[in-house]
Amino acid sequence: MEASIIRSLQGEGDERYAAFQRKLLPTLPPESIIGVRAPLLRQMAAKLDEEQLGPLPHQYYEQNLLHAYCIAREGEFIRCVKKVDAFLPYVDNWAVCDQLRPGVFRHEKRLLPYIRRWLDSGKTYTQRFAIVMLMQHFLGAEFRQEHLHWVCGVRSEDYYVNMAIAWYLATALCHRWEETLEIFRNGQLSKWIHNKAIQKARESRLLSAEKKEYLATLKV
């Protein structure tokens, strides 16, 4: 089945699109990107489960996307966590990481201990996944102040982790202004994350002009 899936992916590959994606995914070997567009991948994933994709690690970027889309359909929480845990060590780029969005995790408080563990992993895309999960599901009614400290407590030299932290904080400013603002006033962030989060927040349509002007005064 795995060989058949690879042939199908190669048959749908677009070299111009592959060249475009290679620029966005510089951490991947160029030959691992076939160039299949997301709508086609989603159509394929709807007819598959991750076991049909063969053992990890996968050879192609698109196989990993298919795997992420298949996991996202899992409707039982514990089974989904196990599938995510099995897959995360093999996630090797930001795009697959950010496409791993299980529906069963939506605003699910049982997810928080797993997020805490993933944040502590020290692994780039496992940490990024945890931050994205907090951003997507825990800035509403389920928000707790400690979530901000979880994210700000992550120490990494990796661009993709630090960008996720900045993205989270920018989004938190839009939804939890007062609670998040204190993070920027007390100087606990690295200069790069501090300024990148302010930049991204000021690009958002969710903040008023007055708030954006105030954020500009907090740049370091």
Side-chain angles (χ1 to χ4, degrees):
M1 187 66 179
E2 180 183 10
S4 175
I5 291 170
I6 290 174
R7 286 195 297 271
S8 295
L9 289 170
Q10 291 171 334
E12 298 289 355
D14 179 332
E15 182 53 37
R16 290 182 63 185
Y17 186 59
F20 169 73
Q21 287 190 307
R22 287 166 190 150
K23 294 178 182 178
L24 298 178
L25 299 163
T27 62
L28 294 183
E31 64 275 12
S32 71
I33 300 174
I34 298 171
V36 183
R37 295 178 185 273
L40 285 172
L41 289 171
R42 291 186 184 278
Q43 289 176 20
M44 291 179 66
K47 302 173 184 177
L48 299 170
D49 62 57
E50 64 275 8
E51 292 179 358
Q52 294 173 294
L53 297 171
L56 291 161
H58 297 308
Q59 181 178 0
Y60 293 105
Y61 161 68
E62 285 82 1
Q63 286 176 281
N64 283 316
L65 280 176
L66 286 175
H67 201 130
Y69 294 150
C70 287
I71 291 175
R73 297 202 318 269
E74 173 58 61
E76 200 281 318
F77 178 79
I78 295 300
R79 281 201 302 269
C80 193
V81 167
K82 289 179 179 179
K83 290 180 179 183
V84 167
D85 270 336
F87 184 51
L88 280 175
Y90 299 96
V91 174
D92 58 1
N93 65 88
W94 66 266
V96 170
C97 180
D98 294 359
Q99 288 298 309
L100 183 57
R101 299 186 178 188
V104 75
F105 287 177
R106 184 174 177 81
H107 310 303
E108 174 56 78
K109 291 182 180 179
R110 286 182 295 169
L111 188 62
L112 289 168
Y114 299 100
I115 288 176
R116 178 73 267 181
R117 173 163 60 80
W118 293 328
L119 284 173
D120 291 340
S121 70
K123 297 177 180 177
T124 295
Y125 297 106
T126 300
Q127 290 180 311
R128 183 180 173 99
F129 176 73
I131 294 165
V132 172
M133 290 296 98
L134 274 178
M135 182 178 68
Q136 290 181 341
H137 303 310
F138 296 97
L139 285 176
E142 300 85 358
F143 172 82
R144 299 203 307 259
Q145 188 81 23
E146 67 180 309
H147 300 161
L148 286 168
H149 300 297
W150 289 3
V151 174
C152 294
V154 174
R155 295 289 181 265
S156 175
E157 297 299 319
D158 192 277
Y159 170 84
Y160 294 100
V161 174
N162 289 329
M163 180 58 83
I165 294 171
W167 183 19
Y168 172 86
L169 291 171
T171 307
L173 281 168
C174 295
H175 295 279
R176 293 286 173 176
W177 171 258
E178 291 296 337
E179 299 97 322
T180 310
L181 201 57
E182 188 60 29
I183 299 291
F184 293 87
R185 289 172 173 158
N186 65 23
Q188 71 183 81
L189 301 169
S190 72
K191 181 178 179 180
W192 189 90
I193 292 174
H194 182 107
N195 289 334
K196 179 60 69 173
I198 288 174
Q199 174 194 327
K200 292 181 74 66
R202 295 184 75 230
E203 291 170 354
S204 173
R205 297 179 181 179
L206 298 178
L207 287 182
S208 67
E210 291 76 17
K211 287 181 177 179
K212 291 179 181 181
E213 289 175 9
Y214 179 68
L215 285 175
T217 70
L218 297 179
K219 293 184 70 175
V220 296

